[in-house]
Amino acid sequence: MGQSVDRDEVERFRDARDAVLSRIEAAARRAGRDPGRVTLVAVSKTVPAARIRAAVEAGLDVLGENRVQEAEAKSPDVAGAAWHLVGPLQSNKARRALGLFAMIQSVHDLDLARRLDRLVRDEPGGAPFPVLVQVNVDRDPAKAGFDPDALAAALPELDACGALDVRGLMTIGRAVADPDDARPTFAALRELSGRLRRQWPRLGPELSMGMSDDFEVAVEEGATIVRVGRALFGERPPTR
Ligand SMILES: *Cc1c(COP(=O)(O)O)cnc(C)c1O
C-alpha cells in the first residue's frame, strides 16, 4: 500500500476542518461554553485510506468508524490517528475492537459492557478502557442503546464493570429536516447525564452528540464530542 498523500486534498481538508471548527466555536460562544471543550471526531466510514491520510495530515486526527472490519482494513494504512468506534459492536468482535480503537462510543447494553469488561480484565496490566454508554434517548425501536429509564437501574451492574473507564454518554439524534428539532434529544441527554452523575460519580462528563446536520445545536446543548462525517468528507455512496 502506498502511503502517498495528495497535497490538494490536504488543503481541501484543512479548509473543511477550519469551517467546521469555526461553526463549533460560534455555537459554543452562543451557549457561553469553551470551544476547547468540544472534540471533533471525523467520521470516516466508507472513506478510503488514502483520503483519510490526507484528512489526518490536515489535523483531523480523531476518526470515527462504525464497523470493526472496515477500521481493521484501513487503520494499518493510516498513521497518527486515534480511532473511535461509533457503530454497533457484536460481541464476537469485541476483542478485536479493543485492540483497534482508542474509545468505544457505542456500548449499547449490559451484555456488551460485561463482555468488554471481562476482556480488558484478562489483559495483563491493562488500563481501564475508555467507553461511552449509548442511550436511545428517543426510544426509537430502530436504534440501539439503553432506554433512558433503564439506565438508572443498570448503574450497579455498570459500576461492577471496573475495567471500563466510562467517560460519558453518547446518542444518535433522530433524522430531522430542521436541526432545531434535534434539540430536545440533545437536551434530554445532557439532563440525563446530570442526573446519573449525581447517583454515580464514576460516570464521566462526556456527551457525544451531533452529526453533520445538527452538530451546532448539539454544541449549544452541551456536546463535548461531535461526530461529523459528510460535512468533512462529502456525501457517502448511497448503499449503506
Ligand atoms: C455516520 C455516523 C455519523 C456521521 O454522520 P454524518 O451525517 O455524515 O455527519 C455520526 N455518528 C454515527 C454513529 C454514524 O454512524
Side-chain angles (χ1 to χ4, degrees), residues 26-233:
R29 295 209 185 288
R30 282 196 295 278
R33 300 186 54 212
D34 172 8
R37 274 293 289 130
V38 184
T39 298
L40 173 60
V41 174
V43 178
S44 52
K45 63 191 184 198
T46 77
V47 180
R51 284 194 75 212
I52 301 177
R53 281 201 296 277
V56 172
E57 186 149 330
L60 295 165
D61 55 4
V62 186
L63 302 170
E65 287 281 340
N66 67 339
R67 294 179 178 203
V68 173
Q69 216 148 322
E70 187 181 337
E72 218 162 38
K74 294 189 295 193
S75 60
D77 296 319
V78 181
W83 301 71
H84 287 199
L85 182 65
V86 301
L89 177 57
Q90 294 160 265
S91 59
N92 63 345
K93 291 183 181 151
R95 187 189 300 275
R96 282 151 64 197
L98 288 169
L100 263 173
F101 293 101
M103 183 189 277
I104 294 175
Q105 295 201 9
S106 44
V107 175
H108 56 80
D109 66 17
L110 272 178
D111 283 348
L112 179 59
R114 290 195 188 105
R115 172 144 182 94
L116 290 169
D117 181 62
R118 264 198 311 278
L119 289 167
V120 177
R121 280 175 202 276
D122 288 349
E123 286 302 312
F129 190 89
V131 300
L132 302 179
V133 171
Q134 183 173 349
V135 184
N136 189 355
V137 173
D138 298 321
R139 299 178 175 85
D140 175 350
K143 286 207 189 90
F146 283 82
D147 179 281
D149 299 325
L151 189 49
L155 291 183
E157 282 100 331
L158 279 173
D159 191 51
C161 297
L164 301 184
D165 176 8
V166 187
R167 301 258 174 107
L169 305 179
M170 176 270 223
T171 199
I172 301 177
R174 59 196 127 164
V176 291
D178 177 353
D180 250 321
D181 294 340
R183 192 181 295 279
T185 304
F186 300 148
L189 190 72
R190 183 193 64 230
E191 283 156 22
L192 179 67
S193 165
R195 263 197 319 271
L196 295 176
R197 294 185 72 215
R198 280 191 290 278
Q199 282 175 261
W200 188 44
R202 196 157 84 73
L203 175 63
E206 303 295 341
L207 291 173
S208 174
M209 54 191 197
M211 319 200 286
S212 290
D213 292 331
D214 53 22
F215 67 86
E216 289 152 298
V217 172
V219 169
E220 287 172 10
E221 293 301 329
T224 65
I225 298 172
V226 291
R227 310 178 307 266
V228 178
R230 291 167 300 126
L232 295 166
F233 293 104

